[in-house]
């Protein structure tokens, strides 16, 4: 893999923040902000490793969705589901367990447009009722969602009295809200979606389908990753480029608080107020052989065996032709100026931070402290005078790298 870790390194000097994103072969330019503590609230939010896929305008929609979800199995999940429509029928299929169990239930499921999701339970147990996709009150609208809606209980109490819910998820409340605005207030799908987005608070990547219109998928994001995949005569939605790399290597980024109208032959990006945004595509340099499990039964076993190769690539990336280590002078200076190093991470990345603590203290002669990023998002401790921050993101896309 070319990108090994994404590690923003922060220094605080009169509330100035310097950011360096360290790749296996490059360090990005410095970025300055003026209010560290305000930004840190965004930096330290964590969300779960769910996955989103979607396709519009392809007769093999079911296969594309299942294949895409299989590419996202490395994330970890406890349930999955797809919604496919086209012609006179639509199909909602869910399963608790592996993608193989979901796939086994899709015989005869055909259509040209659909969305899919792998879920790691947050709100409610791992059940089919809690698995995505979720439907609105009348089952007209179908939604998949990554992230956490912070005000979902407030929305339920204020807007959705009398609605009936099958599960306990925040996502089901979001799709009910959209359905209410469209069907009870008479708004168009786009305007109903926009109105809901102005109310919803939190991190989210949404993919929405109106079961009465198989020609379009509506998507929006805030603090959770989402991409548009550009195909020949059809387009896709995914939370990770590798999910759709079999179909295309051309992608379009979606920025926070942007809404995208995805059709088979067009992609329209706009902000929540309806202002159009121009966006160029980019080429994803991914290799299918790197993504798959190959001959390994599990991704973890494959990744363990790949560690020596990864280390060799890292060493090569930071050494010159003479074998001398080469590191960006700005990073070296930032480490030298720091009076304390803080490593913020979550999950296995947090353990990786612990593994590096002693080594960093010996190399820099500077105390190193560990913090769980989700906790820092709600209560930052008192900082030293000249701290340096290392944020370790488990996947390269989690919100603790923001």
């Amino acid at each position: 893999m070319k990108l090994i870790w994404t590690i923003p390194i922060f220094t605080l000097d009169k509330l100035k923040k310097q950011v360096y994103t360290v790749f296996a072969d490059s360090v990005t330019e410095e970025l300055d902000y003026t209010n560290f503590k305000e930004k840190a609230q965004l930096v330290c939010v964590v969300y779960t490793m769910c996955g989103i896929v979607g396709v519009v305008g392809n007769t093999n929609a079911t296969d594309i969705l299942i294949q895409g979800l299989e590419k996202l199995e490395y994330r970890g999940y406890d349930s999955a589901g797809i919604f496919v429509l086209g012609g006179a029928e639509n199909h909602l299929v869910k399963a608790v367990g592996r993608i193989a169990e979901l796939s086994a239930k899709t015989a005869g499921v055909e259509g040209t447009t659909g969305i899919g999701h792998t879920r790691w339970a947050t709100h409610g147990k791992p059940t089919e009722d809690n698995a995505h996709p979720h439907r609105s009150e009348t089952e007209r609208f179908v939604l998949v969602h990554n992230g956490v809606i912070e005000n979902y209980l407030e929305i339920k109490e204020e807007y959705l009295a009398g609605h009936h819910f099958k599960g306990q998820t925040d996502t089901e409340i979001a799709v009910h809200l959209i359905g209410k605005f469209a069907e009870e207030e008479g708004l168009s799908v786009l305007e109903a979606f926009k109105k809901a987005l102005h109310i919803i608070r939190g991190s989210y990547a949404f993919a929405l389908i109106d079961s009465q219109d198989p020609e379009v998928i509506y998507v929006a994001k805030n603090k959770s990753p989402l991409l548009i995949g550009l195909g020949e005569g059809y387009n896709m939605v995914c939370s990770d480029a590798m999910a759709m790399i079999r179909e295309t290597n051309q992608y379009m980024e979606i920025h926070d608080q942007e809404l995208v109208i995805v059709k088979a032959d067009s992609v329209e990006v706009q902000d929540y107020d309806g202002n159009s945004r121009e966006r160029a595509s980019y080429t994803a340099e991914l290799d299918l052989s790197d993504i798959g499990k190959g001959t390994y039964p599990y991704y973890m076993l494959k990744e363990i065996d790949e560690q020596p190769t990864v280390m060799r690539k890292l060493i090569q990336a930071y050494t010159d032709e003479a074998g001398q280590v080469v590191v960006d002078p700005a990073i070296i200076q930032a480490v030298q100026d720091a009076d304390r190093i803080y490593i913020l991470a979550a999950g296995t990345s947090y353990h990786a931070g612990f593994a590096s603590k002693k080594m960093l203290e010996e190399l820099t002669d500077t105390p190193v402290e560990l913090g769980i990023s989700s906790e820092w998002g709600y209560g930052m401790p008192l900082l030293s005078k000249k701290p340096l921050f290392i944020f370790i993101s488990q996947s390269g896309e989690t919100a603790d790298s923001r």
Side-chain angles (χ1 to χ4, degrees):
M1 292 177 65
K2 189 174 183 180
L3 173 57
I4 305 303
W5 267 348
T6 303
I7 309 176
I9 298 178
F10 300 83
T11 62
L12 183 62
D13 181 11
K14 295 182 180 179
L15 295 181
K16 175 182 177 182
K17 182 171 71 172
Q18 300 173 311
V19 184
Y20 303 92
T21 303
V22 183
F23 293 82
D25 60 352
S26 65
V27 178
T28 64
E29 62 183 305
E30 176 183 339
L31 303 174
D32 292 340
Y33 295 96
T34 56
N35 193 324
F36 175 81
K37 289 196 174 183
E38 201 171 89
K39 293 290 181 180
Q41 295 300 312
L42 297 178
V43 168
C44 300
V45 178
V46 175
Y47 57 82
T48 55
M49 295 291 291
C50 304
I52 286 176
V53 293
V55 59
V56 56
N58 192 301
T59 55
N60 295 318
T62 301
D63 179 63
I64 291 172
L65 295 175
I66 293 296
Q67 290 283 337
L69 293 177
E70 287 176 346
K71 296 294 188 297
L72 299 178
E73 284 192 289
Y74 73 93
R75 295 163 171 259
Y77 62 99
D78 51 50
S79 56
I82 62 171
F83 177 78
V84 179
L85 73 161
E89 292 188 63
N90 58 61
H91 307 268
L92 178 65
V93 185
K94 301 182 183 183
V96 175
R98 311 307 298 173
I99 299 300
E101 297 175 53
L102 174 67
S103 181
K105 300 172 69 173
T106 60
V109 175
E110 297 179 353
T112 58
T113 298
I115 51 178
H117 189 269
T118 52
R119 175 181 186 251
W120 190 268
T122 54
H123 301 80
K125 296 180 180 180
T127 65
E128 288 193 12
D129 283 339
N130 285 326
H132 300 218
H134 289 287
R135 283 172 158 166
S136 60
E137 178 77 357
T138 65
E139 299 190 347
R140 173 182 167 183
F141 296 97
V142 187
L143 183 74
V144 292
H145 161 227
N146 286 354
V148 176
I149 298 173
E150 296 174 0
N151 61 333
Y152 77 103
L153 290 177
E154 298 169 31
I155 292 172
K156 184 178 181 180
E157 294 173 2
E158 183 173 349
Y159 295 96
L160 303 176
H163 279 234
H164 303 87
F165 300 94
K166 295 182 179 180
Q168 296 83 43
T169 70
D170 53 348
T171 307
E172 190 176 9
I173 289 172
V175 72
H176 274 242
L177 183 67
I178 297 165
K180 171 186 171 64
F181 292 151
E183 298 186 282
E184 297 180 23
E185 298 186 9
L187 297 180
S188 68
V189 179
L190 182 59
E191 292 305 315
F193 195 21
K194 287 179 182 177
K195 185 172 181 177
L197 291 172
H198 280 293
I199 294 170
I200 292 170
R201 298 196 310 269
S203 63
Y204 53 78
F206 289 132
L208 172 72
I209 284 181
D210 176 0
S211 61
Q212 297 179 3
D213 183 6
E215 306 299 322
V216 59
I217 299 177
Y218 301 88
V219 304
K221 76 172 289 289
N222 186 51
K223 304 180 186 177
S224 290
L226 201 60
L227 298 170
I228 305 300
L230 306 175
E232 294 290 336
Y234 66 103
N235 288 312
M236 293 145 283
V237 178
C238 53
S239 53
D240 190 317
M242 69 174 62
M244 292 298 172
I245 198 64
R246 188 190 72 164
E247 303 297 322
T248 184
N249 65 351
Q250 297 300 305
Y251 294 89
M252 182 184 296
E253 290 182 336
I254 309 173
H255 297 168
D256 283 351
Q257 298 188 358
E258 287 185 340
L259 183 153
V260 187
I261 304 166
V262 185
K263 299 181 179 181
D265 57 358
S266 66
V267 176
E268 180 184 349
V269 184
Q270 56 182 251
D271 63 22
Y272 290 177
D273 295 321
N275 301 307
S276 295
R277 299 280 181 87
E278 295 295 325
R279 189 66 40 75
S281 62
Y282 72 94
T283 301
E285 298 179 358
L286 293 173
D287 189 327
L288 275 174
S289 63
D290 289 337
I291 296 170
K293 289 185 289 188
T295 60
Y296 291 90
Y298 308 106
Y299 279 105
M300 179 177 288
L301 184 58
K302 178 174 182 281
E303 291 170 0
I304 290 171
D305 281 357
E306 286 176 343
Q307 286 185 12
T309 301
V310 171
M311 293 305 298
R312 283 193 292 269
K313 288 182 178 179
L314 267 175
I315 293 169
Q316 291 172 358
Y318 288 99
T319 54
D320 58 22
E321 295 180 356
Q324 298 299 311
V325 175
V326 179
V327 179
D328 190 308
I331 294 179
I332 296 174
Q333 189 63 51
V335 174
Q336 291 175 339
D337 292 343
D339 63 357
R340 189 170 299 268
I341 298 173
Y342 296 86
I343 300 177
L344 299 188
T348 54
S349 295
Y350 181 73
H351 298 304
F354 261 116
S356 61
K357 170 181 165 65
K358 185 173 186 295
M359 177 187 67
L360 283 174
E361 287 180 334
E362 291 176 351
L363 290 174
T364 65
D365 196 29
T366 303
V368 176
E369 290 188 15
L370 272 292
I372 299 175
S373 51
S374 57
E375 300 302 317
W376 275 56
Y378 294 96
M380 186 185 299
L382 183 66
L383 304 177
S384 64
K385 297 292 184 181
K386 295 181 179 180
L388 180 140
F389 291 84
I390 300 177
F391 288 76
I392 308 177
S393 174
Q394 182 172 1
S395 65
E397 67 177 29
T398 49
D400 40 327
S401 67
R402 295 180 58 82

